[in-house]
Amino acid sequence: ACALGRPPPQRAAVRCLAGGPCFSAHLANGSYADACSACGRRRSGLAWVSGEPELRLLLGLLAEAAPRPAPSLFWVGLKRNASACTNEEQPLRGFSWESAGGGSASQEVPAALGRWVTEPVRSCLTTRCAGLHLAPAAAPGGGPSWGWKE
C-alpha cells in the first residue's frame, strides 16, 4: 500500500481523504524492500496511518483489493530499527512510520490503532517490519477484521 503525495491518474485504484493523503493498493508477492521500491517507482512511499480517518480509508481500499477469502498481508511503512526495542506499552510497540509519501505522518497514534494480530517479537537487535493484516471475517461494526503483523 502506497501513500501518494498527490492524486494519481484516474486509472489507478486509489482512495483519497478530502484535502489529505491518497493511498493506492498494489497486489504482488514480495518483501518489504520490494514494496518500498515499488512505491518509489510510483513517486510515493509506503502507506502510513496516523489516525482513524486514514485507517478507515486504507482498510476500505485494501478490502477491495484483497483476494477472497484468504487472509492478506499488505506492507505499509511500519518499521522498527535495530536500535529500537519492542515496547509493549506503545500502540505501535516501538515501530514507527518510515515514510509518509511526501506528506507528514505523526509518530504518535491513538491507542485504538494498537491492534496486533500477534504481538511482535521482543527484540532490540534486529530491524523488523510490520504489515496490515486483513482477515475475511467481518469486524464489529462491519468491514474486514484487521491488525498489524510482523
Side-chain angles (χ1 to χ4, degrees):
C2 301
L4 308 171
R6 56 184 159 59
Q10 294 291 8
R11 65 183 184 278
V14 172
R15 287 201 180 173
C16 300
L17 282 176
C22 295
F23 298 103
S24 62
H26 310 276
L27 299 180
N29 288 326
S31 68
Y32 184 90
D34 294 339
C36 284
S37 294
C39 287
R41 288 190 300 276
R42 293 173 174 86
R43 297 184 188 162
S44 63
L46 285 172
W48 44 267
V49 177
S50 60
E52 292 186 55
E54 289 97 350
L55 177 64
R56 283 192 303 273
L57 184 81
L58 192 55
L59 286 174
L61 175 66
L62 297 179
E64 287 177 13
R68 309 250 189 253
S72 300
L73 181 69
F74 291 92
W75 288 122
V76 293
L78 199 52
K79 187 173 184 179
R80 191 186 71 228
N81 293 320
S83 60
C85 295
T86 306
N87 186 336
E88 295 173 2
E89 295 180 16
Q90 295 177 343
L92 296 181
R93 308 299 194 262
F95 285 73
S96 60
W97 298 111
E98 181 177 45
S99 153
S104 61
S106 171
Q107 296 301 317
E108 298 296 321
V109 299
L113 299 186
R115 184 185 303 179
W116 287 81
V117 174
T118 55
E119 286 295 322
V121 174
R122 293 180 59 120
S123 171
C124 299
L125 302 174
T126 59
T127 299
R128 306 291 291 193
C129 304
L132 182 56
H133 181 266
L134 297 181
S145 176
W146 70 275
W148 309 117
K149 184 175 181 181
E150 265 187 319

